[in-house]
Amino acid sequence: MSAGDVRVFPTLEDASRGLAEEVASALRRAVEQRGRMAIALSGGSTPRRLYQILAREHSGLPWPRTHVFWGDERWVPRDSADSNYRMARETLLDAVPIPPENVHAVPTHMDRPEDAAASYEGELAGLFGDGPPRFDVMLLGMGEDGHTASLFPHSPALAARDRWVVAAEARAEPVQRITMTLPVTNNARAVHLLVAGATKREPLRCVLVSPEDPERCPAALVHPSDGSLTWWLDEEAAVGLEEATTG
Ligand code: 6PG
């Protein structure tokens, strides 16, 4: 199975700029063809610059026709410094004209993560109908253990086939997470993984060079069945991947 298109850039800034152009094109294309765009954002720290570039250099896009979801979220209040929602709001959403009703945050105010996961599946069904949601763009990152979204190595969430969102547990704080599942990532029209830094070299080798046990590095399990898969790497992360990169 193809590892997808692997693109290497001198710096994270360069990779973020390239990916911002791609997301902007996808946004225009989706609105032209289907009247709206649905994107799932990734969390963590790597995409901050990508979101800032989208906000500052692509503000003329049809943002009012865009729906934003999160591929995963930490089980924290929306104003927590650990919140993926808060990071996206600060870097992108407060700066572009997306209608509030189109910003679909994970309901981390609910009593139980399992209830929030079920509620978020309902939110997805509201836009996509029944069956696995099909995002125009799914942005993902990858952790030092090869996880993506909150799909952690050898975790129960990897086996989900008829759930689109589940509760999950991380090995680092915040432990409790909510995550979209592989049926969702692998149903997207386009999946983009933005990965940078020397600490991601080993998991990238696990995913791109020697995925003997893909559950050891779950990003290796992301393969859209009818969509594109593109890796956006900086040179720091791509060291040792010569045989897997397109240069
Ligand atoms: C999260 C993310 C997670 C992230 C990786 C990489 O909630 O943390 O969704 O999957 O993409 O852990 O995180 P960094 O970009 O901070 O290295």
Side-chain angles (χ1 to χ4, degrees):
M1 190 175 283
S2 158
D5 179 15
V6 180
R7 301 180 188 179
V8 181
F9 298 80
T11 65
L12 173 57
E13 175 76 13
D14 298 316
S16 302
R17 288 193 173 283
L19 181 48
E21 291 291 339
E22 184 70 33
V23 170
S25 302
L27 179 56
R28 288 191 192 92
R29 202 163 47 244
V31 170
E32 283 162 14
Q33 293 172 4
R34 290 178 292 280
R36 60 122 163 103
M37 153 84 155
I39 185 169
L41 299 180
S42 63
S45 56
T46 303
R48 291 188 68 94
R49 191 70 189 110
L50 165 63
Y51 298 163
Q52 289 172 339
I53 293 166
L54 280 171
R56 297 173 185 170
E57 301 179 23
H58 297 278
S59 57
L61 289 171
W63 292 109
R65 307 303 300 272
T66 301
H67 287 265
V68 173
F69 290 78
W70 278 259
D72 74 317
E73 184 56 279
R74 291 86 175 273
W75 189 245
V76 296
R78 288 181 187 179
D79 60 359
S80 163
D82 285 326
S83 167
N84 290 335
Y85 166 83
R86 174 176 162 181
M87 186 271 279
R89 183 158 283 292
E90 290 174 345
T91 54
L92 173 60
L93 301 178
D94 282 347
V96 296
I98 294 181
E101 64 273 17
N102 287 12
V103 177
H104 306 274
V106 177
T108 56
H109 59 280
M110 294 183 76
D111 290 342
R112 298 187 327 126
E114 293 75 12
D115 298 339
S119 171
Y120 210 45
E121 286 181 320
E123 185 102 7
L124 288 163
L127 186 69
F128 294 101
D130 294 335
R134 183 163 168 74
F135 281 95
D136 296 294
V137 170
M138 188 148 206
L139 299 176
L140 292 172
M142 187 183 69
E144 296 178 16
D145 61 357
H147 81 261
T148 191
S150 286
L151 299 168
F152 295 99
H154 301 297
S155 64
L158 300 182
R161 291 295 174 269
D162 58 358
R163 293 295 306 275
W164 321 142
V165 184
V166 295
E169 291 194 351
R171 295 182 185 137
E173 290 296 336
V175 169
Q176 191 61 63
R177 310 285 180 100
I178 302 289
T179 187
M180 289 186 187
T181 58
L182 290 168
V184 179
T185 65
N186 293 345
N187 196 40
R189 283 190 174 81
V191 176
H192 298 284
L193 291 105
L194 180 63
V195 180
T199 64
K200 305 296 174 76
R201 285 176 192 168
E202 195 283 326
L204 277 171
R205 289 192 58 80
C206 174
V207 173
L208 296 175
V209 177
S210 55
E212 289 86 15
D213 174 11
E215 291 213 1
R216 183 168 72 86
C217 43
L221 296 168
V222 175
H223 285 288
S225 54
D226 179 19
S228 62
L229 173 64
T230 310
W231 293 80
W232 303 75
L233 311 179
D234 71 349
E235 287 174 355
E236 269 288 288
V239 169
L241 292 180
E242 287 68 29
E243 64 268 36
T245 61
T246 51

